[in-house]
Amino acid sequence: MLLPIVHAGEPVLRQQARALSPREIRSKEIQKLIEHMRETMRGAPGVGLAAPQIGLSLQMTVIEDRKEYHKEVSAEQLALRERRAGPFHVVINPRIRSAEDDQVIEFFEGCLSLPGFFALVPRSRSVRVECLDHRGHSKTIDASGWYARILQHEIDHLRGNLYIDRMHSRSFSSRENWEKFWKGKPIGEVRSELGC
Ligand code: ZN
Protein backbone atom coordinates (compact mmCIF):
# COMPACT_ATOMS: atom_id res chain seq x y z
CA MET A 1 0.00 0.00 0.00
CA LEU A 2 1.34 3.41 -0.95
CA LEU A 3 0.94 5.85 1.92
CA PRO A 4 0.53 9.59 1.26
CA ILE A 5 3.73 11.53 2.00
CA VAL A 6 3.22 14.80 3.89
CA HIS A 7 4.99 17.98 2.81
CA ALA A 8 6.77 20.81 4.60
CA GLY A 9 4.30 22.88 6.61
CA GLU A 10 2.61 19.79 8.08
CA PRO A 11 3.01 20.10 11.89
CA VAL A 12 4.05 16.45 12.36
CA LEU A 13 7.29 17.17 10.46
CA ARG A 14 8.26 19.61 13.22
CA GLN A 15 7.49 17.38 16.21
CA GLN A 16 9.82 15.25 18.29
CA ALA A 17 8.68 11.71 17.47
CA ARG A 18 8.13 9.18 20.25
CA ALA A 19 10.17 6.04 20.82
CA LEU A 20 8.75 2.53 20.23
CA SER A 21 9.06 -0.35 22.73
CA PRO A 22 10.49 -3.67 21.48
CA ARG A 23 7.07 -5.19 22.10
CA GLU A 24 5.35 -2.57 19.95
CA ILE A 25 7.94 -3.11 17.23
CA ARG A 26 7.04 -6.80 17.07
CA SER A 27 3.29 -6.06 16.87
CA LYS A 28 1.33 -6.83 13.72
CA GLU A 29 0.54 -3.13 13.26
CA ILE A 30 4.17 -2.00 13.21
CA GLN A 31 5.27 -4.95 11.07
CA LYS A 32 2.57 -4.04 8.55
CA LEU A 33 3.57 -0.39 8.73
CA ILE A 34 7.18 -1.33 7.90
CA GLU A 35 5.97 -3.12 4.75
CA HIS A 36 3.86 -0.14 3.74
CA MET A 37 6.75 2.24 4.35
CA ARG A 38 9.01 0.06 2.19
CA GLU A 39 6.50 0.14 -0.67
CA THR A 40 5.97 3.88 -0.27
CA MET A 41 9.72 4.58 -0.29
CA ARG A 42 10.23 2.44 -3.41
CA GLY A 43 7.21 3.99 -5.10
CA ALA A 44 8.41 7.55 -4.50
CA PRO A 45 11.24 6.52 -5.24
CA GLY A 46 13.54 7.47 -2.39
CA VAL A 47 16.47 6.08 -0.40
CA GLY A 48 14.89 6.79 2.98
CA LEU A 49 11.51 7.47 4.53
CA ALA A 50 10.81 8.48 8.14
CA ALA A 51 7.50 7.79 9.91
CA PRO A 52 6.71 11.53 10.38
CA GLN A 53 6.74 11.82 6.58
CA ILE A 54 3.67 9.61 6.45
CA GLY A 55 2.09 11.54 9.31
CA LEU A 56 3.13 9.27 12.21
CA SER A 57 5.15 10.77 15.04
CA LEU A 58 7.19 7.61 15.69
CA GLN A 59 10.96 7.17 15.85
CA MET A 60 11.15 4.84 12.91
CA THR A 61 12.73 5.16 9.50
CA VAL A 62 13.32 2.81 6.58
CA ILE A 63 16.39 3.02 4.35
CA GLU A 64 17.41 1.33 1.10
CA ASP A 65 19.81 2.47 -1.60
CA ARG A 66 19.21 0.23 -4.61
CA LYS A 67 21.77 -0.37 -7.31
CA GLU A 68 19.23 0.57 -9.98
CA TYR A 69 19.04 4.12 -8.57
CA HIS A 70 22.71 4.55 -9.42
CA LYS A 71 22.16 4.23 -13.17
CA GLU A 72 21.42 7.93 -13.46
CA VAL A 73 24.52 8.93 -11.49
CA SER A 74 27.98 8.98 -13.07
CA ALA A 75 30.69 6.69 -11.70
CA GLU A 76 32.65 9.80 -10.79
CA GLN A 77 29.76 11.27 -8.78
CA LEU A 78 29.13 7.92 -7.05
CA ALA A 79 32.80 7.76 -6.03
CA LEU A 80 32.85 11.37 -4.85
CA ARG A 81 29.79 10.76 -2.69
CA GLU A 82 31.11 7.40 -1.49
CA ARG A 83 27.72 6.08 -2.50
CA ARG A 84 27.31 2.33 -2.46
CA ALA A 85 24.17 0.22 -2.71
CA GLY A 86 22.72 -0.77 0.66
CA PRO A 87 19.98 -3.29 1.56
CA PHE A 88 16.57 -2.47 2.98
CA HIS A 89 16.59 -2.03 6.75
CA VAL A 90 14.67 -0.36 9.53
CA VAL A 91 16.17 2.07 12.07
CA ILE A 92 14.16 2.59 15.26
CA ASN A 93 14.81 4.87 18.30
CA PRO A 94 18.20 5.94 16.94
CA ARG A 95 20.87 7.80 18.86
CA ILE A 96 23.46 9.34 16.62
CA ARG A 97 27.10 10.15 17.28
CA SER A 98 29.65 11.69 15.00
CA ALA A 99 32.65 9.47 14.41
CA GLU A 100 35.94 10.46 16.08
CA ASP A 101 37.57 11.45 12.82
CA ASP A 102 34.68 13.83 12.21
CA GLN A 103 34.86 15.53 8.88
CA VAL A 104 32.10 17.73 7.47
CA ILE A 105 31.31 17.32 3.79
CA GLU A 106 28.81 19.08 1.57
CA PHE A 107 26.57 17.84 -1.18
CA PHE A 108 23.19 18.71 -2.65
CA GLU A 109 20.34 16.71 -1.19
CA GLY A 110 16.59 16.58 -1.54
CA CYS A 111 13.64 15.34 0.52
CA LEU A 112 10.35 13.65 -0.36
CA SER A 113 8.63 16.18 1.91
CA LEU A 114 10.06 19.08 -0.14
CA PRO A 115 9.47 17.72 -3.63
CA GLY A 116 11.20 19.44 -6.51
CA PHE A 117 13.93 21.19 -4.52
CA PHE A 118 17.59 20.64 -3.64
CA ALA A 119 20.17 22.41 -1.51
CA LEU A 120 23.74 22.11 -0.37
CA VAL A 121 23.79 20.55 3.10
CA PRO A 122 26.85 20.06 5.32
CA ARG A 123 26.87 16.68 7.11
CA SER A 124 29.34 14.51 8.98
CA ARG A 125 31.18 12.14 6.67
CA SER A 126 30.79 9.29 9.13
CA VAL A 127 28.52 8.52 12.05
CA ARG A 128 27.82 5.81 14.58
CA VAL A 129 24.14 5.07 15.24
CA GLU A 130 22.77 3.01 18.13
CA CYS A 131 19.24 1.82 17.38
CA LEU A 132 16.78 -1.06 17.34
CA ASP A 133 16.14 -3.14 14.24
CA HIS A 134 12.81 -4.39 12.82
CA ARG A 135 12.64 -7.11 15.51
CA GLY A 136 13.39 -4.72 18.36
CA HIS A 137 16.98 -5.93 18.77
CA SER A 138 19.81 -3.51 19.59
CA LYS A 139 22.09 -2.66 16.73
CA THR A 140 25.12 -0.43 16.14
CA ILE A 141 25.63 1.00 12.68
CA ASP A 142 28.97 2.48 11.61
CA ALA A 143 28.32 4.41 8.45
CA SER A 144 30.31 6.65 6.16
CA GLY A 145 29.79 8.45 2.88
CA TRP A 146 26.33 8.75 1.34
CA TYR A 147 24.86 6.19 3.72
CA ALA A 148 25.95 8.35 6.69
CA ARG A 149 24.22 11.30 4.99
CA ILE A 150 20.99 9.31 4.54
CA LEU A 151 21.06 8.29 8.21
CA GLN A 152 21.58 11.89 9.37
CA HIS A 153 18.80 13.15 7.09
CA GLU A 154 16.32 10.49 8.28
CA ILE A 155 17.21 10.83 11.97
CA ASP A 156 16.73 14.60 11.67
CA HIS A 157 13.11 13.86 10.63
CA LEU A 158 12.57 12.03 13.95
CA ARG A 159 13.65 15.18 15.84
CA GLY A 160 11.40 17.51 13.85
CA ASN A 161 14.23 18.82 11.67
CA LEU A 162 14.42 19.21 7.90
CA TYR A 163 17.44 19.74 5.65
CA ILE A 164 16.36 23.36 5.12
CA ASP A 165 17.36 23.97 8.77
CA ARG A 166 20.95 22.97 7.94
CA MET A 167 21.37 23.97 4.31
CA HIS A 168 23.39 26.81 2.86
CA SER A 169 20.23 28.77 2.16
CA ARG A 170 21.73 30.54 -0.87
CA SER A 171 22.08 27.15 -2.59
CA PHE A 172 18.33 26.34 -2.40
CA SER A 173 17.31 25.42 -5.93
CA SER A 174 14.44 23.99 -7.94
CA ARG A 175 15.17 20.56 -9.45
CA GLU A 176 15.13 22.09 -12.91
CA ASN A 177 17.72 24.73 -12.04
CA TRP A 178 19.79 22.30 -10.01
CA GLU A 179 20.04 20.06 -13.07
CA LYS A 180 20.71 23.01 -15.36
CA PHE A 181 23.32 24.86 -13.30
CA TRP A 182 24.70 22.93 -10.34
CA LYS A 183 24.45 19.16 -10.72
CA GLY A 184 27.88 17.65 -11.22
CA LYS A 185 29.75 20.90 -10.57
CA PRO A 186 32.57 20.78 -7.98
CA ILE A 187 31.18 21.99 -4.65
CA GLY A 188 33.91 24.61 -4.27
CA GLU A 189 32.82 26.21 -7.54
CA VAL A 190 29.15 26.03 -6.57
CA ARG A 191 29.86 27.80 -3.29
CA SER A 192 31.93 30.53 -4.80
CA GLU A 193 29.38 31.19 -7.58
CA LEU A 194 26.51 31.29 -5.10
CA GLY A 195 28.43 33.18 -2.45
CA CYS A 196 27.77 30.65 0.27
ZN1 ZN B 1 13.52 13.88 4.06
Side-chain angles (χ1 to χ4, degrees), residues 48 53 110-113 153-154 157 162-163:
Q53 294 184 277
C111 176
L112 296 174
S113 294
H153 178 117
E154 297 311 322
H157 275 303
L162 298 170
Y163 80 74

PDB file of all heavy atoms in Angstrom, residues 48 53 110-113 153-154 157 162-163, ligand 1:
ATOM      1  N   GLY A  48      15.239   6.815   1.558  1.00  0.00           N
ATOM      2  CA  GLY A  48      14.892   6.789   2.975  1.00  0.00           C
ATOM      3  C   GLY A  48      13.511   7.381   3.165  1.00  0.00           C
ATOM      4  O   GLY A  48      13.060   8.201   2.357  1.00  0.00           O
ATOM      5  N   GLN A  53       7.056  11.456   7.969  1.00  0.00           N
ATOM      6  CA  GLN A  53       6.736  11.818   6.585  1.00  0.00           C
ATOM      7  C   GLN A  53       5.454  11.165   6.076  1.00  0.00           C
ATOM      8  O   GLN A  53       4.926  11.558   5.040  1.00  0.00           O
ATOM      9  CB  GLN A  53       7.888  11.440   5.649  1.00  0.00           C
ATOM     10  CG  GLN A  53       9.148  12.248   5.911  1.00  0.00           C
ATOM     11  CD  GLN A  53      10.211  11.913   4.894  1.00  0.00           C
ATOM     12  OE1 GLN A  53      10.932  10.936   5.049  1.00  0.00           O
ATOM     13  NE2 GLN A  53      10.302  12.703   3.839  1.00  0.00           N
ATOM     14  N   GLY A 110      17.999  16.255  -1.414  1.00  0.00           N
ATOM     15  CA  GLY A 110      16.587  16.584  -1.535  1.00  0.00           C
ATOM     16  C   GLY A 110      15.806  15.815  -0.485  1.00  0.00           C
ATOM     17  O   GLY A 110      16.390  15.086   0.324  1.00  0.00           O
ATOM     18  N   CYS A 111      14.485  15.997  -0.492  1.00  0.00           N
ATOM     19  CA  CYS A 111      13.642  15.342   0.517  1.00  0.00           C
ATOM     20  C   CYS A 111      12.263  15.118  -0.075  1.00  0.00           C
ATOM     21  O   CYS A 111      11.737  15.999  -0.754  1.00  0.00           O
ATOM     22  CB  CYS A 111      13.545  16.245   1.746  1.00  0.00           C
ATOM     23  SG  CYS A 111      12.446  15.615   3.039  1.00  0.00           S
ATOM     24  N   LEU A 112      11.680  13.955   0.180  1.00  0.00           N
ATOM     25  CA  LEU A 112      10.349  13.647  -0.356  1.00  0.00           C
ATOM     26  C   LEU A 112       9.278  14.581   0.211  1.00  0.00           C
ATOM     27  O   LEU A 112       8.203  14.708  -0.364  1.00  0.00           O
ATOM     28  CB  LEU A 112       9.982  12.186  -0.062  1.00  0.00           C
ATOM     29  CG  LEU A 112      10.873  11.131  -0.728  1.00  0.00           C
ATOM     30  CD1 LEU A 112      10.498   9.737  -0.240  1.00  0.00           C
ATOM     31  CD2 LEU A 112      10.774  11.208  -2.251  1.00  0.00           C
ATOM     32  N   SER A 113       9.581  15.244   1.329  1.00  0.00           N
ATOM     33  CA  SER A 113       8.626  16.185   1.908  1.00  0.00           C
ATOM     34  C   SER A 113       8.815  17.610   1.379  1.00  0.00           C
ATOM     35  O   SER A 113       8.068  18.517   1.760  1.00  0.00           O
ATOM     36  CB  SER A 113       8.726  16.165   3.439  1.00  0.00           C
ATOM     37  OG  SER A 113       8.295  14.904   3.921  1.00  0.00           O
ATOM     38  N   HIS A 153      20.001  12.513   7.628  1.00  0.00           N
ATOM     39  CA  HIS A 153      18.798  13.151   7.091  1.00  0.00           C
ATOM     40  C   HIS A 153      17.537  12.525   7.718  1.00  0.00           C
ATOM     41  O   HIS A 153      16.633  13.233   8.170  1.00  0.00           O
ATOM     42  CB  HIS A 153      18.790  12.990   5.563  1.00  0.00           C
ATOM     43  CG  HIS A 153      17.585  13.561   4.876  1.00  0.00           C
ATOM     44  ND1 HIS A 153      17.664  14.588   3.967  1.00  0.00           N
ATOM     45  CD2 HIS A 153      16.268  13.242   4.961  1.00  0.00           C
ATOM     46  CE1 HIS A 153      16.450  14.883   3.538  1.00  0.00           C
ATOM     47  NE2 HIS A 153      15.580  14.075   4.115  1.00  0.00           N
ATOM     48  N   GLU A 154      17.510  11.189   7.757  1.00  0.00           N
ATOM     49  CA  GLU A 154      16.315  10.494   8.279  1.00  0.00           C
ATOM     50  C   GLU A 154      16.165  10.704   9.786  1.00  0.00           C
ATOM     51  O   GLU A 154      15.056  10.901  10.284  1.00  0.00           O
ATOM     52  CB  GLU A 154      16.378   9.001   7.949  1.00  0.00           C
ATOM     53  CG  GLU A 154      16.366   8.674   6.453  1.00  0.00           C
ATOM     54  CD  GLU A 154      15.259   9.381   5.692  1.00  0.00           C
ATOM     55  OE1 GLU A 154      14.145   9.523   6.231  1.00  0.00           O
ATOM     56  OE2 GLU A 154      15.506   9.811   4.555  1.00  0.00           O
ATOM     57  N   HIS A 157      14.579  13.876  10.729  1.00  0.00           N
ATOM     58  CA  HIS A 157      13.109  13.860  10.635  1.00  0.00           C
ATOM     59  C   HIS A 157      12.474  13.438  11.960  1.00  0.00           C
ATOM     60  O   HIS A 157      11.395  13.909  12.316  1.00  0.00           O
ATOM     61  CB  HIS A 157      12.654  12.864   9.553  1.00  0.00           C
ATOM     62  CG  HIS A 157      12.626  13.434   8.172  1.00  0.00           C
ATOM     63  ND1 HIS A 157      11.887  14.541   7.831  1.00  0.00           N
ATOM     64  CD2 HIS A 157      13.238  13.039   7.027  1.00  0.00           C
ATOM     65  CE1 HIS A 157      12.051  14.804   6.536  1.00  0.00           C
ATOM     66  NE2 HIS A 157      12.874  13.906   6.030  1.00  0.00           N
ATOM     67  N   LEU A 162      14.369  19.429   9.345  1.00  0.00           N
ATOM     68  CA  LEU A 162      14.416  19.211   7.898  1.00  0.00           C
ATOM     69  C   LEU A 162      15.751  19.739   7.370  1.00  0.00           C
ATOM     70  O   LEU A 162      16.394  20.560   8.032  1.00  0.00           O
ATOM     71  CB  LEU A 162      13.267  19.956   7.210  1.00  0.00           C
ATOM     72  CG  LEU A 162      11.849  19.522   7.616  1.00  0.00           C
ATOM     73  CD1 LEU A 162      10.822  20.506   7.055  1.00  0.00           C
ATOM     74  CD2 LEU A 162      11.553  18.110   7.109  1.00  0.00           C
ATOM     75  N   TYR A 163      16.136  19.297   6.170  1.00  0.00           N
ATOM     76  CA  TYR A 163      17.438  19.739   5.654  1.00  0.00           C
ATOM     77  C   TYR A 163      17.516  21.252   5.489  1.00  0.00           C
ATOM     78  O   TYR A 163      18.584  21.842   5.547  1.00  0.00           O
ATOM     79  CB  TYR A 163      17.820  18.988   4.361  1.00  0.00           C
ATOM     80  CG  TYR A 163      17.179  19.486   3.091  1.00  0.00           C
ATOM     81  CD1 TYR A 163      17.591  20.686   2.492  1.00  0.00           C
ATOM     82  CD2 TYR A 163      16.172  18.766   2.456  1.00  0.00           C
ATOM     83  CE1 TYR A 163      17.003  21.143   1.317  1.00  0.00           C
ATOM     84  CE2 TYR A 163      15.587  19.202   1.289  1.00  0.00           C
ATOM     85  CZ  TYR A 163      16.008  20.403   0.720  1.00  0.00           C
ATOM     86  OH  TYR A 163      15.433  20.859  -0.436  1.00  0.00           O
TER      87      TYR A 163
HETATM   88 ZN    ZN B   1      13.522  13.883   4.060  1.00  0.00          ZN
END
